Amino acid sequence: MAKTVPQSHQCSECGWRTPKWLGRCPQCQAWGSIAEVAAAATSRATTPTNPAQPITEVSLAAATSVGSGVGELDRVLGGGITPGSVVLLAGEPGVGKSTLLLEVASRWARAGRRTLYASAEESAAQVRLRAERTHAVVDELYLAAENDLGAILGHIEELSPQLLVLDSVQTVQVPGVDTTPGGVAQVKEVTAALVRVAKQRAMPVLLIGHVTKEGTVAGPRTLEHLVDVVLNFEGEQHSSLRLLRAAKNRFGPADEVGCFELVEDGIREVPDPSGLFTALHAEPAPGTCLSISLAGRRPLLTEIQALVAPSAAPVPRRVTHGVESGRVAMLLAVLQRRAGVKLHNKEVYVATVGGARLSDPASDLAAAIAVASAASDQCFARPVIAIGEIGLSGELRRVPGLDRRLAEAARLGFQVALVPPGCGGRVGALRAVEVTTVANALSVLGLRKKAEPERPHLSVV
């Protein structure tokens, strides 16, 4: 019989086991994730710490969220910060993570609640300098420049804060763990210790996390499983607009978006960001169309611009910015095949305004109209809202949340909107015009010089 070799090493990323240590996991290709695991001990029944009770007798007071003072953050979290929760905020360097959480800490402390801001990357004087610039100096806000987990836990025992902000979780080290700060074992131990303290004290913890060059949270994948909420802070390098998105939320929706603007004296909320994704035109310009996209439950006015130019190359260029390239390629094929817009020998450029990123299929009709308008060099006299998903046969499909989209368009003062079949009517001063196909939409706007002849129908016996 073959001898059974004990699988004494395990990958912390995917769980793959091996009898010996390896520098790289053959299963998930992660480096430095394989570590020795102790033999499983036999579990025995012990006396429960807290007896089980009927669910009807469990109090909801301990899980009631508390407003952070930052409305856009509360929107993404689902109403506020839940006591005992652990929130991980990740983002690229310089996007404003520390500035945002310092603002949250100051507003939390301004309400008379003791707050501890532990910085493992900067000195206390550097944090105070930023607080002076952002007007975040409050008496109940305590600063600690520590990168040792034991020292941070000692500050918690001494101060008994009602909120802990840690900047950042990858730079804190645990004595006795034989890896460098930011390693798999270090990050897991730091996060697990802070989760235990948060649950025991009902103290919310806000963690700042680094990201890799691919844009994912640095460290082991189990880090995102240990925390309760994972937030991504995004923004373009040359734009002051910042978007806060929830990738995981145990206490609320995971599809909400918060909008902020990075200014000289800190960070500012943008409760109505509709005007940030549109351009101001003195006169109607060809190649532009407006749409209403949904970011979570929030409708956002977005402008799509297109440019069509002749090309001498055998393969014309197709360049996109802010929209999916595969989606645009499909729309170009539908426009040529179903609406008669000749684009096979033209270069096409499609982009959004203000750094918006569109993945909502409801913006298909607006993108197609912008391309057709640029190809014919024609524009319409007044702005038009276009909402609808386009299929491969050129038909328009209904999209979710159409009532909210039309209500936002009416609030902004628009008068005409093109919508899929069965969605027409009036919303205040807004008139929703039904169009069945993309060719029908172009005909309504006067972007088709002549309609294609209808094909005879085949009778099926």
Side-chain angles (χ1 to χ4, degrees):
M1 294 180 62
K3 184 178 179 180
T4 303
V5 180
Q7 309 294 321
S8 58
H9 292 74
Q10 183 178 7
C11 175
S12 61
E13 297 287 340
C14 63
W16 183 78
R17 284 180 171 268
T18 177
K20 61 180 181 179
W21 180 87
L22 298 174
R24 188 177 187 181
C25 175
Q27 184 74 20
C28 64
Q29 307 301 319
W31 288 95
S33 60
I34 297 180
E36 186 176 2
V37 292
T42 304
S43 300
R44 298 181 179 179
T46 59
T47 304
T49 305
N50 298 315
Q53 55 183 330
I55 190 172
T56 54
E57 299 180 5
V58 177
S59 175
L60 292 176
T64 304
S65 59
V66 181
S68 65
V70 181
E72 291 298 298
L73 176 63
D74 293 342
R75 170 195 286 270
V76 177
L77 292 177
I81 301 177
T82 304
S85 63
V86 180
V87 181
L88 175 65
L89 176 65
E92 296 182 356
V95 76
K97 305 182 297 296
S98 301
T99 304
L100 174 61
L101 290 194
L102 182 60
E103 182 68 21
V104 174
S106 67
R107 296 193 183 186
W108 187 274
R110 196 169 282 118
R113 296 173 289 221
R114 180 168 295 182
T115 305
L116 175 60
Y117 189 100
S119 175
E121 297 181 347
E122 300 175 294
S123 65
Q126 291 174 325
V127 178
R128 169 65 190 271
L129 184 63
R130 190 190 319 122
E132 289 283 352
R133 179 174 56 86
T134 60
H135 310 288
V137 178
V138 188
D139 290 337
E140 287 296 320
L141 177 57
Y142 289 78
L143 301 180
E146 299 284 356
N147 61 356
D148 184 85
L149 178 62
I152 294 175
L153 296 179
H155 284 297
I156 295 175
E157 292 288 341
E158 180 182 351
L159 296 175
S160 298
Q162 295 176 272
L163 175 69
L164 170 66
V165 178
L166 177 59
D167 183 10
S168 65
V169 66
Q170 278 90 2
T171 54
V172 178
Q173 59 182 356
V174 183
V177 179
D178 296 334
T179 56
T180 59
V184 174
Q186 291 274 0
V187 173
K188 288 176 61 177
E189 182 61 30
V190 170
T191 307
L194 293 177
V195 169
R196 288 193 298 268
V197 172
K199 304 306 179 185
Q200 293 171 0
R201 293 176 167 267
M203 175 190 65
V205 176
L206 305 182
L207 306 176
I208 293 179
H210 299 164
V211 295
T212 62
K213 59 182 180 180
E214 292 83 11
T216 58
V217 181
R221 194 68 179 179
T222 52
L223 173 62
E224 301 178 43
H225 294 286
L226 288 173
V227 300
D228 301 308
V229 182
V230 178
L231 304 178
N232 293 323
F233 206 36
E234 307 170 355
E236 296 288 340
Q237 182 179 2
H238 303 290
S239 174
S240 61
L241 181 67
R242 299 291 185 264
L243 298 179
L244 183 66
R245 304 178 187 271
K248 170 189 175 182
N249 192 354
R250 290 175 177 169
F251 312 111
D255 56 356
E256 277 293 348
V257 175
C259 297
F260 298 87
E261 185 180 7
L262 205 61
V263 294
E264 293 182 359
D265 57 348
I267 197 164
R268 183 172 60 191
E269 301 176 61
V270 184
D272 188 8
S274 293
L276 298 177
F277 305 113
T278 58
L280 298 177
H281 302 284
E283 297 179 357
T288 64
C289 190
L290 298 172
S291 183
I292 304 287
S293 61
L294 280 183
R297 292 190 294 269
R298 165 183 279 175
L300 296 177
L301 176 67
T302 310
E303 180 177 339
I304 301 178
Q305 295 184 347
L307 176 64
V308 177
S311 175
V315 180
R317 297 185 64 186
R318 303 287 192 259
V319 181
T320 62
H321 180 72
V323 290
E324 297 178 359
S325 58
R327 197 87 187 171
V328 172
M330 183 199 75
L331 293 177
L332 298 182
V334 172
L335 280 174
Q336 175 145 339
R337 186 68 179 88
R338 306 297 181 187
V341 181
K342 302 304 180 182
L343 300 169
H344 61 281
N345 58 348
K346 304 290 181 62
E347 294 184 354
V348 180
Y349 303 85
V350 181
T352 57
V353 174
R357 297 181 182 178
L358 287 181
S359 58
D360 190 354
S363 60
D364 285 356
L365 182 58
I369 292 175
V371 172
S373 174
S376 61
D377 200 22
Q378 295 179 342
C379 58
F380 15 95
R382 53 182 176 176
V384 176
I385 299 294
I387 303 173
E389 180 183 0
I390 298 178
L392 291 179
S393 60
E395 84 282 3
L396 253 67
R397 304 171 182 171
R398 300 189 62 174
V399 295
L402 188 61
D403 295 339
R404 284 189 303 234
R405 302 175 196 260
L406 294 179
E408 177 68 9
R411 184 185 72 85
L412 295 174
F414 292 96
Q415 299 179 356
V416 179
L418 300 183
V419 296
C423 307
R426 280 192 173 272
V427 180
L430 176 71
R431 182 167 61 96
V433 180
E434 298 181 10
V435 288
T436 56
T437 63
V438 62
N440 182 207
L442 299 183
S443 298
V444 169
L445 296 175
L447 298 179
R448 298 186 71 199
K449 295 182 179 180
K450 58 180 182 178
E452 292 183 343
E454 294 186 1
R455 298 177 181 177
H457 297 284
L458 298 178
S459 59
V460 180
V461 179

